[in-house]
Amino acid sequence: MNIDFTKASFKDFENIPNLDIYERAKAHEGYLNYLRENEFMNYRLLATSGCGPEIELAEDGYIKKGDYISFVCNDYLGFTQHPEVKKAVIAGIEKYGTGAGASPLIGGYFDYHKELEDKISAFFKRPQGSSIVYTTGYTSNSASLLCLLKKEDIAIVDMAVHSSVYEGIMGTTVKRFLHNNIENLERILAASKDTYRTKMVIIDGVYSQDGDIAKLKEILDLTHKYGGVLLVDDAHGIGVIGETGRGAMEYFNVLDKVDIITGTFSKTFGNVGGYLVANNPDLISYLQFQSRQYAFSASASPNVIGVSRAIELIDEEPQWQKQLWDNINYYKKGLLEIGLEIGDTESAIIPVKIGDVYKNSLAGKMLLENGVYTNPIMYPAVSLKDSRIRMSLMATHTKEHLDKALNVFDYVNKKLEIAKSV
């Protein structure tokens, strides 16, 4: 086996013909060692403080112990550290203990689960009984889709959707359309019109790598024109866009028209878990009994009581969304003044596009050396020639945080000429 580590990605180690599990693991470890030896290992860094605009990293090889400005956390409104959210979690654990003890069908369904379901339904202007809660945001897509779509159906997906969607549609027919390309989508819908039982179009509200927004209104109208069902995963839009933080659906004034909404608690809501909201409550009942990952997994712990409080705070304290957008606009302006390429982002996700994989890794290393913790992203998360530094902004970043990061980016650009590399 000959893999050039300088041109490799994690994708190369998913399956290597003729190598068994131990041999593949050994080859993969060789790649990890290459990353460590070149100080490109910006993954699984050990943090010793909570999620926030600054994070403390432990000393580990070339990683120096200390505080770093953090752009790796999707806690957009800073609710993981909000005193009211913490208080709700502590009170919940004191009342219920640390776990649910069983799956929801056989004794693990508590009143705090029902309260959370009702709050999610109400948040999206749906009646009670319109939502289901999963223990991870990933399974809110993968488990639901695996249950709903079979070989007689078709999933028509924007090519930039999250990997959890791709896992969920493994048991059905799949067609991908070019990102946000309405003409391409219509061709597929027209060709599928009388062929499949259920035609489900699946998109993100805000896309996780470029931070751009779906052409939601056009896609919704087109989907319904051809008798399809639209699912919107708005994990990165909730709390960030829309007048009251209800995401892309509110931004386009179609909150009541989208058939299915999925999302996560691990971003704006400052917790862990996920949800699906449907216009048809029968769909929710079906998932409660037929979605295997829901029916056969232990229910969410009382920790999710914090999500119920976070949902309330989005309406009670709109200043966090405003502060987040002040930070987004300030930081984008600074990056553009340096001459960096940030694409079409319209959200709290800001990529600095570099293109070259090696240069991207060097930029991530230099940023970390200068106290800025970011995520260098490369294939297969993005296309081979579209490597970038991906950053998530938070409402709790200060101007001092942002100015320091901009100064470091200016330094990196002068050393690597990343403004000219895309």
Side-chain angles (χ1 to χ4, degrees):
M1 181 207 68
N2 287 314
I3 294 179
D4 182 352
F5 290 154
T6 65
K7 298 178 181 178
S9 75
F10 290 108
K11 182 76 173 175
D12 293 296
F13 303 91
E14 284 184 2
N15 186 28
I16 304 174
N18 304 318
L19 296 191
D20 66 20
I21 57 173
Y22 298 106
E23 292 167 328
R24 293 207 313 274
K26 183 178 180 180
H28 181 261
E29 190 62 27
Y31 180 55
L32 294 181
N33 286 334
Y34 159 78
L35 294 176
R36 294 184 188 106
E37 288 165 5
N38 287 275
E39 301 183 4
F40 292 162
M41 190 65 172
N42 281 48
Y43 314 102
R44 287 184 58 83
L45 301 188
L46 183 61
T48 52
S49 64
C51 182
E54 289 188 17
I55 195 165
E56 183 183 70
L57 296 180
E59 185 172 352
D60 184 13
Y62 62 90
I63 305 297
K64 296 177 181 177
K65 177 181 172 62
D67 292 329
Y68 294 74
I69 298 170
S70 171
F71 292 105
V72 301
C73 182
N74 297 315
D75 181 17
Y76 297 124
L77 302 183
F79 282 178
T80 63
Q81 305 300 328
H82 195 293
E84 289 294 314
V85 175
K86 288 182 177 180
K87 189 188 303 182
V89 171
I90 291 167
I93 290 173
E94 287 178 341
K95 179 177 180 180
Y96 294 97
T98 59
S103 69
L105 300 188
I106 58 168
Y109 186 57
F110 292 88
D111 55 354
Y112 66 84
H113 295 121
K114 176 68 164 57
E115 178 186 11
L116 180 53
E117 290 167 351
D118 290 346
K119 282 186 180 293
I120 294 166
S121 297
F123 182 79
F124 289 107
K125 313 299 183 184
R126 304 293 205 277
Q128 291 186 9
S130 300
S131 65
I132 182 172
V133 171
Y134 286 91
T135 51
T136 71
Y138 192 98
T139 47
S140 67
N141 279 329
S142 64
S144 297
L145 291 168
L146 195 63
C147 174
L148 295 174
L149 299 178
K150 306 300 181 184
K151 59 183 176 59
E152 299 88 349
D153 308 309
I154 185 170
I156 304 170
V157 303
D158 187 297
M159 63 189 304
V161 294
H162 193 263
S163 61
S164 58
V165 169
Y166 282 111
E167 183 167 317
I169 58 179
M170 292 175 68
T172 191
T173 308
V174 178
K175 293 288 184 181
R176 304 196 309 166
F177 64 95
L178 298 173
H179 178 51
N180 258 342
N181 189 306
I182 302 302
E183 293 76 19
N184 191 202
L185 170 60
E186 182 160 24
R187 283 196 294 272
I188 296 171
L189 279 167
S192 308
K193 185 176 181 183
D194 300 315
T195 308
Y196 299 96
R197 184 178 60 182
T198 300
K199 297 173 289 296
M200 185 180 289
V201 175
I202 305 170
I203 63 173
D204 287 2
V206 170
Y207 285 90
S208 62
Q209 295 305 328
D210 279 328
D212 58 331
I213 301 175
K215 296 179 179 179
L216 182 50
K217 180 65 168 63
E218 295 171 79
I219 292 172
L220 175 69
D221 291 343
L222 202 58
T223 300
H224 287 174
K225 173 184 173 181
Y226 286 94
V229 174
L230 179 63
L231 183 151
V232 179
D233 174 2
D234 209 15
H236 293 278
I238 299 304
V240 178
I241 64 173
E243 186 178 352
T244 65
R246 282 162 173 81
M249 290 77 62
E250 183 179 45
Y251 182 82
F252 288 103
N253 195 29
V254 293
L255 191 59
D256 60 332
K257 295 180 177 65
V258 172
D259 302 290
I260 301 172
I261 302 167
T262 63
T264 181
F265 299 141
S266 64
K267 297 174 175 59
T268 286
F269 297 120
N271 209 289
V272 67
Y275 57 87
L276 180 145
V277 179
N279 267 350
N280 186 336
D282 291 346
L283 205 64
I284 299 302
S285 296
Y286 183 77
L287 287 168
Q288 288 168 347
F289 286 85
Q290 297 296 328
S291 177
R292 286 172 294 182
Q293 291 91 333
Y294 178 83
F296 297 104
S297 293
S299 300
S301 76
N303 185 57
V304 296
I305 291 173
V307 178
S308 291
R309 187 69 185 105
I311 290 172
E312 296 169 347
L313 286 167
I314 288 179
D315 289 329
E316 291 176 13
E317 299 184 357
Q319 68 266 26
W320 299 113
Q321 187 184 6
K322 180 183 181 303
Q323 181 59 49
L324 174 61
W325 273 100
D326 287 346
N327 285 347
I328 292 169
N329 292 328
Y330 182 84
Y331 196 56
K332 285 171 62 175
K333 181 174 181 289
L335 292 170
L336 290 170
E337 286 175 350
I338 295 170
L340 301 177
E341 172 59 55
I342 63 172
D344 299 322
T345 178
E346 301 175 80
S347 68
I349 298 166
I350 300 181
V352 169
K353 298 193 172 190
I354 296 175
D356 180 77
V357 171
Y358 185 72
K359 191 176 283 191
N360 196 61
S361 296
L362 280 175
K365 172 184 175 180
M366 293 173 67
L367 286 161
L368 197 63
E369 287 173 342
N370 288 276
V372 180
Y373 183 15
T374 62
N375 289 139
I377 303 294
M378 54 201 78
Y379 184 80
V382 293
S383 64
L384 282 169
K385 296 181 180 179
D386 201 21
S387 296
R388 79 276 306 273
I389 300 295
R390 178 193 183 275
M391 292 169 283
S392 294
L393 262 66
M394 298 173 59
T396 47
H397 279 119
T398 65
K399 289 294 189 295
E400 289 75 18
H401 292 139
L402 303 181
D403 284 339
K404 178 178 177 179
L406 289 169
N407 287 336
V408 176
F409 263 109
D410 189 42
Y411 164 76
V412 171
N413 182 48
K414 287 173 180 174
K415 291 289 185 180
L416 300 181
E417 297 185 326
I418 55 177
K420 300 178 182 178
S421 61
V422 179

